[in-house]
Amino acid sequence: MTRFALTLEFDGAPYMGLQRQVHGPSVQQSVEEAAFALTGEVTGMHAAGRTDAGVHALGMKVHMDIDKPFTPFQFSEGMNARLRPHPIAVVGCEVVPDDWHARFSCIGRSYIYRIANRRAPLTVERGKAWQVPKPLDETAMHRAAQRLVGLHDFTTFRSTHCQSQSPLKTLDRLEVRREGEMVLIEAEARSFLHHQVRSMVGCLALVGMGRWEEARVTAALEARNRQALGLNSPPDGLYFVKATYPGD
């Protein structure tokens, strides 16, 4: 048996999320069905993280165990052929040790959130970014973001459906920058709570629009109460960028 580590890129719009769902299509279902079509084997896909409905990925790491002999090139080519026309692509494939696990071996995860800061309707970016027509002050957003960096109780920024045993997380990096009309928010941590990135982005956007003072981000954090959240941003603009492992 060979354990393959795959790097997936996908458009999350058609899916109810990465994990299998009883009420709709998922990325996991599409990948596992493609693997069965290629190998004739029933095998599970284990991922570095979970994504909600509508959330995208540029570099989601997953692993699968396959009995039949394939080179990484053969397996990735075969998977991509059988994933069509789903908006999922294997953009990287390698053989890893049997004790390597996409989720449990992961020591860091990074996301990027894209805000299209313009009044004109989105066309090619529709479903790929959150449109905010009101001008955003990205400098104020970045300053406010630094209030969230470090070890904190992120209860305010956590979904009520979050399954994590603790609201304590260490946020390693949260930066805001502008590229033309696009405001980009980059987040890095060992792990995140359910809806944490989207919740942080929503509050930072309120700062950028001038509806919140920067200090209110700290007040929301210290409230440790979901009711103190100003805004949960939509999934459209969120992308899982990379999973980090020892030795990377």
Side-chain angles (χ1 to χ4, degrees):
M1 182 174 289
T2 303
R3 178 160 292 186
F4 288 102
L6 308 177
T7 304
L8 301 182
E9 176 184 283
F10 58 81
D11 175 358
Y15 301 106
M16 301 304 295
L18 183 142
Q19 285 192 306
R20 275 188 178 267
Q21 307 286 336
V22 296
H23 57 285
S26 67
V27 174
Q28 182 180 8
Q29 178 184 349
S30 295
V31 172
E32 290 176 348
E33 289 178 351
F36 179 77
L38 174 63
T39 68
E41 302 172 25
V42 177
T43 184
M45 184 197 84
H46 303 272
R50 303 175 182 180
T51 58
D52 292 330
V55 175
H56 318 293
L58 301 175
M60 175 63 74
K61 195 74 77 174
V62 306
H63 82 257
M64 309 185 86
D65 293 331
I66 303 298
D67 281 324
K68 290 183 178 178
F70 288 91
T71 66
F73 177 79
Q74 289 171 331
F75 190 64
S76 62
E77 287 289 291
M79 287 292 290
N80 280 329
R82 286 154 184 83
L83 280 166
R84 299 187 186 99
H86 301 294
I88 305 170
V90 177
V91 296
C93 180
E94 60 183 320
V95 175
V96 291
D98 292 345
D99 62 352
W100 187 94
H101 196 286
R103 178 184 174 190
F104 299 120
S105 300
C106 185
I107 59 172
R109 295 163 175 86
S110 62
Y111 286 86
I112 189 167
Y113 196 100
R114 305 172 71 242
I115 299 176
N117 191 203
R118 75 181 206 185
R119 293 189 58 81
L122 298 185
T123 55
V124 295
E125 293 285 0
R126 184 180 299 167
K128 304 296 188 297
W130 176 27
Q131 183 180 9
V132 176
K134 188 171 183 177
L136 293 172
D137 182 346
E138 71 277 4
T139 302
M141 292 171 66
H142 178 76
R143 285 196 306 265
Q146 304 322 298
R147 297 168 178 264
L148 299 173
V149 174
L151 173 62
H152 301 289
D153 180 330
F154 282 98
T155 296
T156 300
F157 301 89
R158 173 190 193 184
S159 166
T160 55
H161 302 293
C162 183
Q163 298 177 358
S164 179
Q165 294 182 349
S166 171
L168 294 175
K169 291 292 178 183
T170 298
L171 182 62
D172 297 319
R173 177 171 169 259
L174 187 61
E175 297 190 358
V176 184
R177 58 188 170 88
R178 178 182 287 275
E179 291 184 0
E181 65 185 16
M182 202 67 70
V183 175
L184 306 174
I185 300 97
E186 296 174 297
E188 294 180 2
R190 186 181 185 94
S191 61
F192 291 88
L193 298 166
H194 188 209
H195 281 189
Q196 183 181 345
V197 177
R198 288 171 54 191
S199 297
M200 295 189 300
V201 168
C203 292
L204 294 179
L206 293 176
V207 172
M209 288 184 275
R211 291 169 54 185
W212 270 26
E213 296 291 333
E214 293 172 32
R216 190 165 173 183
V217 172
T218 300
L221 178 68
E222 293 176 347
R224 300 180 182 88
N225 187 332
R226 186 67 172 170
Q227 298 302 314
L229 183 75
L231 179 64
N232 193 37
S233 61
D236 309 46
L238 184 58
Y239 296 74
F240 184 99
V241 176
K242 181 182 179 182
T244 303
Y245 298 87
D248 284 359

